[in-house]
Amino acid sequence: MMKRAYYLFNPGRMSRQDNTLKFEPTGTEEDQKPRFLPVEGVSALYIFGSVDANSALYNFLGRKHIPVHFFDYYEHYTGTFSPREHLLAGQMLVNQTNAYRLSKRRLHLAAGFVEGATFNMLKNLKYYQGRGKELEYLIEKLGALRLLIGTAADIPELMGIEGNCRQLYYEAFPIIVPGYAWEGRSKRPPTNELNALVSFGNSLCYSVCLDAIYNSQLNPTISFLHEPGVRRYSLALDVSEIFKPLLVDRLLFRMCNKRELGPKDFDLVDNACFLSERGRKAFVAAWEEKLKDGIQHRKLNRRVTYRHLLRLECYKIAKYVMKLEERYEPFHAWW
């Protein structure tokens, strides 16, 4: 059975019934019948509504290795129920820690994340320039900044280069998506529709990267570009940098330009803007279709979905950390 992620927007109660997950919506509508999800077909759960559950259910999900990602009312990612790390290995943990502590090796890995992220930013700009958008100046500036990645002497300098690249990239948003307010990136809270889409999409990207890391032997708390911190899976932040332009930005550009989202898909609350329930459902449906799409993998010589590409990237990082490969090639080396 092909596994898939399930997104729960409505309030209700989740419980186990034999080898099936049973979700009972709460509300006044008479047609709200329980839904049954065969556990063998569930890869992950994304909870946006208020869902009640007990410890027996989480024990069951843990045995089946099904993570549960939680989001608050404002669409912020708040945490993950992560099953016991059945794939973690002591030697990998030691080598991953050593790769972080050895400055040269860490810098090489971190530079790969930035190179992959900025490559996809540049690819997006060139795509829309080919469709009549005036982006030549930003493309030239971003291309020049990318040449500095290999000259960075340490992580703070590399982060500065990445920040400058992203700031240039964000200047293209109102050109690519005309008609939407954009005065730069605003996060907590997002102040307009585009920022609401970026925040929501980035949260989804972070969680799907976490799923990919969970299915490798990597430890999600030991990162290379971002500093490991308390109460966060910082390696997912590293990996998501590569895929946010490729997955999130391309999707929101398309949905806005093709009018797949409209005023009814957003809620304004105290000078903050969030996707409405209708908007979240529309974006999530498009997001799942995007993950099923993919590219022709140059080395495997076959088409690979984006969801699988995330896992391949994690396997590549793991091989580099274990020194099975002499050098870490960032994502775009596969194209």
Side-chain angles (χ1 to χ4, degrees):
M1 178 183 293
M2 180 70 71
K3 290 190 175 185
R4 53 164 291 193
Y6 286 87
Y7 299 79
L8 303 179
F9 295 95
N10 297 326
R13 178 166 183 78
M14 179 79 76
S15 59
R16 173 187 178 182
Q17 184 166 311
D18 298 325
N19 208 40
T20 300
L21 299 178
K22 179 182 179 181
F23 179 70
E24 300 174 275
T26 58
T28 58
E29 298 181 19
E30 295 181 359
D31 62 345
Q32 288 186 325
K33 298 179 180 179
R35 292 186 60 193
F36 296 90
L37 310 176
V39 72
E40 301 301 334
V42 179
S43 62
L45 294 172
Y46 293 77
I47 308 296
F48 294 91
S50 177
V51 176
D52 295 329
N54 57 27
S55 59
L57 175 70
Y58 287 108
N59 286 332
F60 180 56
L61 293 173
R63 290 197 300 273
K64 296 297 182 179
H65 310 297
I66 298 174
V68 185
H69 305 290
F70 296 94
F71 299 79
D72 64 18
Y73 173 79
Y74 300 106
E75 302 156 8
H76 298 141
Y77 168 85
T78 56
T80 293
F81 163 74
S82 183
R84 181 172 58 87
E85 293 87 347
H86 65 295
L87 294 176
L88 284 186
Q91 190 60 48
M92 173 63 76
L93 180 60
V94 171
N95 283 28
Q96 191 175 345
T97 304
N98 287 338
Y100 168 78
R101 296 180 63 186
L102 296 172
S103 57
K104 183 178 179 180
R105 200 161 181 82
R106 180 190 176 186
L107 186 61
H108 188 189
L109 265 168
F113 292 130
V114 176
E115 186 179 338
T118 54
F119 174 87
N120 286 326
M121 293 179 198
L122 197 58
K123 193 173 182 68
N124 284 352
L125 297 187
K126 289 180 178 179
Y127 174 87
Y128 280 98
Q129 185 193 32
R131 279 150 183 77
K133 305 294 184 180
E134 295 293 333
L135 297 169
E136 184 175 357
Y137 170 75
L138 294 175
I139 289 172
E140 291 179 357
K141 292 285 288 183
L142 185 55
L145 276 175
R146 290 191 76 238
L147 297 177
L148 302 177
I149 294 173
T151 68
D154 52 33
I155 298 297
E157 184 178 349
L158 183 63
M159 288 287 284
I161 295 170
E162 190 273 339
N164 290 334
C165 288
R166 192 165 294 278
Q167 186 174 357
L168 270 175
Y169 175 64
Y170 281 146
E171 289 182 22
F173 275 42
I175 302 173
I176 295 174
V177 189
Y180 283 81
W182 179 266
E183 296 177 356
R185 185 76 175 99
S186 58
K187 300 180 182 179
R188 292 184 179 266
T191 56
N192 51 51
E193 289 89 345
L194 274 184
N195 271 297
L197 286 168
V198 172
S199 292
F200 185 63
N202 286 353
S203 293
L204 292 178
C205 190
Y206 173 86
S207 56
V208 79
C209 288
L210 186 57
D211 286 347
I213 293 169
Y214 175 75
N215 283 282
S216 72
Q217 290 188 321
L218 292 166
N219 188 298
T221 65
I222 301 174
S223 52
F224 305 98
L225 178 61
H226 297 84
E227 286 294 338
V230 180
R231 297 188 299 275
R232 72 173 184 177
Y233 299 116
S234 47
L235 184 59
L237 295 174
D238 285 359
V239 178
S240 65
E241 291 295 332
I242 300 173
F243 288 93
K244 285 188 294 187
L246 179 66
L247 299 177
V248 179
D249 298 342
R250 286 192 187 183
L251 182 59
L252 71 88
F253 292 156
R254 189 205 79 196
M255 295 188 77
C256 290
N257 284 327
K258 292 189 174 182
R259 301 294 187 265
E260 295 176 28
L261 294 170
K264 293 182 179 180
D265 297 312
F266 298 92
D267 290 330
L268 293 174
V269 182
D270 297 330
N271 296 321
C273 185
F274 305 100
L275 279 163
S276 64
E277 181 177 334
R278 167 177 154 165
R280 289 196 300 268
K281 289 180 177 180
F283 192 90
V284 161
W287 171 255
E288 279 298 309
E289 287 302 313
K290 183 70 175 177
L291 291 177
K292 293 176 185 176
D293 196 4
I295 63 169
Q296 184 68 23
H297 197 293
R298 190 169 60 192
K299 292 187 176 180
L300 298 180
N301 196 29
R302 63 181 174 88
R303 190 160 184 82
V304 177
T305 67
Y306 287 124
R307 189 185 291 276
H308 190 55
L309 278 175
L310 285 159
R311 293 193 181 187
L312 290 178
E313 186 71 15
C314 292
Y315 297 154
K316 185 179 286 288
I317 296 167
K319 285 183 179 180
Y320 178 78
V321 166
M322 292 297 289
K323 300 182 181 179
L324 297 179
E325 291 186 354
E326 288 299 320
R327 57 190 301 269
Y328 165 67
E329 294 180 342
F331 170 78
H332 65 80
W334 297 342
W335 292 37

